[in-house]
Amino acid sequence: QVQLVESGGGLVQAGGSLRLSCAASVRTFSDYAMGWFRQPPGKEREFVAAISRSGSSTVYADSVKGRFTISRDIGKNTLYLQMNSLKPEDTAVYFCAADRIYGTRLSYDYWGQGTQVTVSS
């Protein structure tokens, strides 16, 4: 069983930065690949970024490539998403997720409750 709790969301102006964190309650954090997903208002949930179990591989949605960075601290059981050069279209509820299989699909096994990110123009 994996429990995930996101934090770090908030209101920021366009061009600003935020760092999201996701604390995982799990026996062995490195057993799970991790991902960030988001759900913009009135839209479906979409993939943002994922990181492999060891942290050696990452993948990003085209819309955030070059602006967002996913990372993990295995010693702290924590996942991060550094978001720079934020745009109003990045406004969404952001979710972290865990699964034993690394990838960009939406069908991760475990999900956090989400944290709101609002980018003002």
Side-chain angles (χ1 to χ4, degrees), residues 19-47:
R19 188 176 81 155
L20 304 183
S21 299
C22 172
S25 296
V26 60
R27 174 171 289 186
T28 308
F29 187 48
S30 57
D31 279 351
Y32 295 87
M34 301 293 296
W36 286 102
F37 299 79
R38 67 186 182 187
Q39 188 162 12
K43 296 183 179 181
E44 295 187 350
R45 194 171 298 188
E46 62 186 25
F47 168 77

Side-chain angles (χ1 to χ4, degrees), residues 4-5 18 34 41 50 57 69 80 85 87 93:
L4 304 170
V5 179
L18 280 176
M34 301 293 296
S57 296
T69 302
Y80 301 101
S85 302
K87 305 175 181 179
V93 178

Side-chain angles (χ1 to χ4, degrees), residues 2-120:
V2 181
Q3 293 184 325
L4 304 170
V5 179
E6 302 96 336
S7 61
L11 174 64
V12 64
Q13 288 189 332
S17 298
L18 280 176
R19 188 176 81 155
L20 304 183
S21 299
C22 172
S25 296
V26 60
R27 174 171 289 186
T28 308
F29 187 48
S30 57
D31 279 351
Y32 295 87
M34 301 293 296
W36 286 102
F37 299 79
R38 67 186 182 187
Q39 188 162 12
K43 296 183 179 181
E44 295 187 350
R45 194 171 298 188
E46 62 186 25
F47 168 77
V48 174
I51 188 166
S52 64
R53 290 183 288 179
S54 67
S56 60
S57 296
T58 58
V59 59
Y60 296 91
D62 288 343
S63 58
V64 306
K65 203 172 293 183
R67 299 188 298 121
F68 290 10
T69 302
I70 188 171
S71 62
R72 65 192 299 167
D73 186 329
I74 291 175
K76 294 183 178 179
N77 279 21
T78 303
L79 175 74
Y80 301 101
L81 185 68
Q82 178 67 44
M83 305 186 295
N84 299 329
S85 302
L86 282 161
K87 305 175 181 179
E89 51 264 44
D90 294 319
T91 295
V93 178
Y94 283 72
F95 300 88
C96 69
D99 197 281
R100 292 188 181 272
I101 301 173
Y102 169 62
T104 64
R105 70 203 183 283
L106 294 176
S107 58
Y108 273 49
D109 282 340
Y110 302 99
W111 292 82
Q113 83 289 347
T115 186
Q116 176 70 47
V117 171
T118 302
V119 184
S120 64

